[in-house]
Amino acid sequence: MPLFPHRIPNVVHHVRVRDESVGGDNPFAWEMQLSHEIVGREKCVIFALPGAFTPTCSTFQLPDFEELYPRFQKAGVENIFCVSVNDTFVMNKWAEDQGLEHVKVIPDGSGKFTSSMGMDVYKDNLGFGIRSWRYAMVVKNFEIEQTFVERGFTNNALDDPYGVSSPQNILAFLEGREYDTGGEALQLNLSDGIGSEDKIG
């Protein structure tokens, strides 16, 4: 199990944002946004998963985070972000398909955020290529306060474990109840990781 950085990385994400000045049927423009700009300094939850539109992610994890957002707010969480090694077109369409109002999606098409976290794995056995292991973390001021990593971290895993990074388990932690810490006791690496310097003040 690789060591997490003690702060979230600050890499470039290529995103499509609505821009009415573009006009036409597809009024979107390209923007390059840094991770720290997207996430901000407030307390948040960031969860990562193998891919948009995949069964567990679409049926349980993403919709449950969306539904339980009011409870996260009561527990002091300002925002919830979903990261996946998918491009912005796929992530935006998935967000639209899921009817998201609270959870914000972050495209990591090149996998830079994921690899900086040490959470990149091969999923060639499913034809996915390099994707993210399923995990989540509580973050404040870019500092990682708690991690929730699914058991069995490995390349070409035969299954897709889910539970440790579920919103229900994270809420248990935030609300001071007993929670599943996962299969590994992670230690935080005191290096910041690739591109994680604070570039926005």
Side-chain angles (χ1 to χ4, degrees):
M1 175 71 73
L3 295 177
F4 270 27
H6 80 287
R7 289 156 57 90
I8 62 169
N10 194 27
V11 302
V12 173
H13 301 268
H14 296 265
V15 300
R16 296 280 287 175
V17 296
R18 193 168 187 88
D19 183 350
E20 298 301 337
S21 68
V22 174
D25 296 331
N26 189 30
F28 286 82
W30 283 102
E31 280 190 9
M32 290 189 295
Q33 300 177 357
L34 291 168
S35 311
H36 290 187
E37 293 173 324
I38 296 171
V39 172
R41 295 184 179 276
E42 299 298 323
K43 189 169 189 173
C44 67
V45 169
I46 301 173
F47 67 99
L49 38 77
F53 291 103
T54 50
T56 299
C57 310
S58 296
T59 306
F60 300 106
Q61 195 168 23
L62 185 58
D64 282 358
F65 269 109
E66 176 74 12
E67 181 180 350
L68 292 169
Y69 175 73
R71 282 182 59 186
F72 279 97
Q73 274 193 310
K74 289 181 181 178
V77 170
E78 184 73 20
N79 288 301
I80 300 175
F81 299 94
C82 173
V83 179
S84 182
V85 183
N86 293 108
D87 63 70
T88 186
F89 294 101
V90 170
M91 293 298 280
N92 287 350
K93 186 62 179 177
W94 191 33
E96 178 185 342
D97 183 72
Q98 290 281 323
L100 298 183
E101 296 180 4
H102 305 299
V103 176
K104 299 174 176 67
V105 296
I106 302 177
D108 187 31
S110 297
K112 291 181 179 178
F113 186 95
T114 300
S115 63
S116 295
M117 288 297 304
M119 287 286 105
D120 51 320
V121 290
Y122 287 102
K123 286 189 169 289
D124 294 325
N125 60 325
L126 299 177
F128 280 14
I130 298 175
R131 294 296 180 99
S132 175
W133 189 252
R134 196 184 298 274
Y135 71 96
M137 52 190 169
V138 176
V139 175
K140 184 175 183 181
N141 197 27
F142 315 133
E143 303 281 337
I144 300 172
E145 296 187 343
Q146 184 65 38
T147 59
F148 303 85
V149 181
E150 298 295 341
R151 293 174 173 85
F153 181 91
T154 188
N155 291 315
N156 297 314
L158 297 178
D159 58 359
D160 180 20
Y162 175 60
V164 179
S165 64
S166 70
Q168 293 85 353
N169 190 51
I170 299 169
L171 274 172
F173 163 76
L174 291 169
E175 294 171 350
R177 296 181 284 112
E178 185 177 350
Y179 68 99
D180 188 345
T181 60
E184 301 282 347
L186 293 183
Q187 295 179 330
L188 297 184
N189 185 348
L190 295 182
S191 66
D192 279 349
I194 299 172
S196 63
E197 62 272 16
D198 185 351
K199 296 181 179 177
I200 62 173

